[in-house]
Amino acid sequence: MSPELIHYAIYFFLTLGLSTLFSMGGVGSAIGLVPIFSMMGMPINLAKAIGLFINSASTITASFMNFFRGVLDIKFALPLIISIMIATPIGAWMSQYVQKEIVEWILVAFLLVSALLLLFSNREQKVVYDKAWVLYVIGGVVGLISGTIGVGGGSLIMPLLILLGFDAKKAAYAISFVIPFSTLGAFATYLSFVNMDWVLLGVVTIAAIIGGYVGDFIMHYRLTPKQVKKLIAVVLLLLSAKMIYKLLGL
């Protein structure tokens, strides 16, 4: 096997594994793949652009499945969609003026906050605070952050919705539907200043679609909401630890 094929195979199976894992929690795998791709030597803006497109592919697959199962609440997701569609491309445009190290530290903070919220948001879900303006604010803020660091934002929206009282699975279904509306716009923005590797993009997209299907199936039929939360949190903590190790030069 040629070195080029081995190179693409590594990215394929890495994307397949993480897309399956993160789809179990209804979030895109870019939150895990962007730092890993960067640590493997990929330029950070290329990693972010590919990560955004991967998120779109895997979550669109999951959303189709959720829609036909009748578990997707489109009305609830609409404020998040509108606000995140506006904010994420702005964050993507801003990212080209931010130093790589700053972006990576923001990503570490993003990983840690998301993981801690998932681990410790264990209050009983007696009240659901679903005012539209709150969802608009969440979508706008997360859109700016996710566009800047090149991830879909689902891993931060997920714990915030849980804190507002939503069931983890219901939140996951909504987030899978929301993510493509933000990531595709941000991906188009990155294309204006990134030299895209289209073959690699095609390879990882196929892997993400397969992973999105398998992960959503496992979540729907095999996992409880509590298990979904803990699983994603552990992975995020491991990734943040690895990135801190690299950034500190240890």
Side-chain angles (χ1 to χ4, degrees), residues 16-181:
L16 177 63
L18 284 182
S19 294
T20 300
L21 176 62
F22 280 88
S23 292
M24 294 180 197
V27 299
S29 56
I31 188 69
L33 289 173
V34 170
I36 290 176
F37 286 171
S38 177
M39 286 185 285
M40 291 172 66
M42 183 182 292
I44 185 65
N45 281 334
L46 177 59
K48 290 189 288 183
I50 290 177
L52 287 164
F53 195 82
I54 286 173
N55 270 13
S56 303
S58 60
T59 52
I60 286 172
T61 302
S63 292
F64 272 115
M65 295 169 65
N66 294 332
F67 177 79
F68 287 112
R69 290 188 192 120
V71 296
L72 179 60
D73 187 346
I74 296 177
K75 183 179 178 181
F76 160 67
L78 193 58
L80 292 169
I81 291 172
I82 294 172
S83 55
I84 210 166
M85 279 182 65
I86 296 171
T88 308
I90 296 173
W93 175 80
M94 291 167 52
S95 70
Q96 61 187 308
Y97 303 108
V98 182
Q99 292 182 356
K100 176 185 176 182
E101 290 75 17
I102 295 175
V103 172
E104 290 180 333
W105 277 114
I106 293 173
L107 182 53
V108 168
F110 193 87
L111 290 166
L112 287 172
V113 170
S114 299
L116 292 174
L117 286 175
L118 285 169
L119 284 172
F120 297 110
S121 58
N122 290 324
R123 69 180 182 85
E124 290 185 37
Q125 297 165 334
K126 294 180 179 178
V127 178
V128 177
Y129 194 75
D130 57 354
K131 300 295 184 182
W133 72 267
V134 175
L135 299 177
Y136 279 114
V137 171
I138 290 174
V141 172
V142 172
L144 283 174
I145 296 172
S146 63
T148 301
I149 63 178
V151 300
S155 56
L156 185 54
I157 296 177
M158 173 77 162
L160 289 174
L161 292 181
I162 291 171
L163 287 173
L164 290 174
F166 288 97
D167 175 80
K169 281 194 174 183
K170 178 176 180 177
Y173 297 141
I175 292 166
S176 289
F177 184 63
V178 169
I179 287 174
F181 291 93

Side-chain angles (χ1 to χ4, degrees), residues 180-200:
F181 291 93
S182 67
T183 51
L184 289 176
F187 173 74
T189 303
Y190 273 98
L191 284 182
S192 66
F193 57 87
V194 168
N195 185 21
M196 178 55 63
D197 183 338
W198 293 104
V199 175
L200 178 60

